[in-house]
């Protein structure tokens, strides 16, 4: 029993150390950029030694991807939750409001995400992992749109639900790129809502209930 209690404490302490390193790295990466951060800077920000770092991560690349995966998984779960609140039919404007509130996160996250995109563009293995996580987000959207089929019609120009999900993610990418430059969060939120509503309805803000 004593060994089990000790193991439990060690496991919890290690999990806490890992979480603290990820939080510290997020702040440092957002402030300086991935390519300009050292392991020492992450350790200093977290208040740990290099030994603590290497007991959790083999490199900055591994930590960086763990950070992205943690945030990307959370966003996919939040989007799924936001889209699950309606019944069989999809109230597009209400769903857009909920999803926009989830998708449009803080600018620091967008800076870290953009660094990761650039990093992945130069590394095919990292790119494959990133594409898998982006596919999860699109799938969460496509699954919800598929459940609404027969209750809420999508504009024919989008094709199937997978095409609509790609359009939603593309709109988000475009709006957040502008946000990185002009730093106007409120305008970005409003513009994203307008784009998504136009994409997923007949453009009037009211769902088109005609069947495909």
């Amino acid at each position: 029993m004593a060994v089990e209690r000790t193991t439990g404490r060690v496991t919890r302490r290690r999990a806490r150390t890992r979480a603290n390193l990820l939080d510290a790295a997020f702040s440092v990466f957002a402030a300086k950029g991935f390519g300009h951060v050292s392991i020492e800077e992450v350790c200093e920000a977290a208040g740990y030694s290099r030994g603590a770092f290497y007991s959790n991560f083999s490199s900055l690349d591994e930590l960086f991807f763990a950070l992205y995966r943690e945030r990307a998984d959370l966003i996919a779960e939040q989007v799924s939750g936001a889209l699950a609140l309606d019944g069989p039919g999809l109230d597009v404007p209400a769903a857009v409001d909920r999803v926009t509130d989830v998708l449009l996160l803080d600018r620091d996250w967008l800076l870290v995400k953009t660094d990761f995109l650039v990093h992945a563009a130069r590394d095919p293995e990292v790119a494959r992992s990133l594409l898998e996580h982006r596919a999860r987000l699109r799938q969460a959207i496509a699954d919800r749109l598929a459940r609404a089929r027969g209750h809420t019609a999508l504009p024919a120009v989008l094709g199937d639900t997978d095409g609509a999900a790609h359009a939603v993610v593309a709109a988000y990418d475009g709006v957040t790129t502008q946000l990185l430059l002009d730093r106007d969060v409120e305008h970005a939120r409003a513009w994203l809502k307008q784009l998504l509503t136009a994409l997923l309805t007949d453009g009037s803000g009211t769902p088109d209930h005609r069947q495909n």
Side-chain angles (χ1 to χ4, degrees), residues 81-86 90-91 93-103:
L83 290 173
L85 296 179
D86 290 322
L90 184 63
D91 181 342
V96 165
D97 282 346
R98 294 195 302 268
V99 170
T100 300
D101 288 342
V102 171
L103 278 177

Side-chain angles (χ1 to χ4, degrees), residues 12-71:
R12 287 193 296 272
R13 184 166 64 248
R14 180 167 182 173
R16 186 166 57 249
T17 298
R18 180 183 175 87
N20 289 340
L21 284 166
L22 287 170
D23 286 345
F26 178 81
S27 298
V28 177
F29 286 144
K32 302 188 68 174
F34 174 69
H36 303 283
V37 173
S38 67
I39 290 174
E40 288 76 12
E41 287 174 302
V42 173
C43 291
E44 182 179 355
Y48 292 121
S49 66
R50 285 176 63 93
F53 179 94
Y54 283 115
S55 70
N56 288 276
F57 304 102
S58 63
S59 65
L60 275 178
D61 273 16
E62 183 183 342
L63 181 151
F64 196 47
F65 186 68
L67 177 63
Y68 182 88
R69 184 172 58 239
E70 177 183 80
R71 301 298 174 105

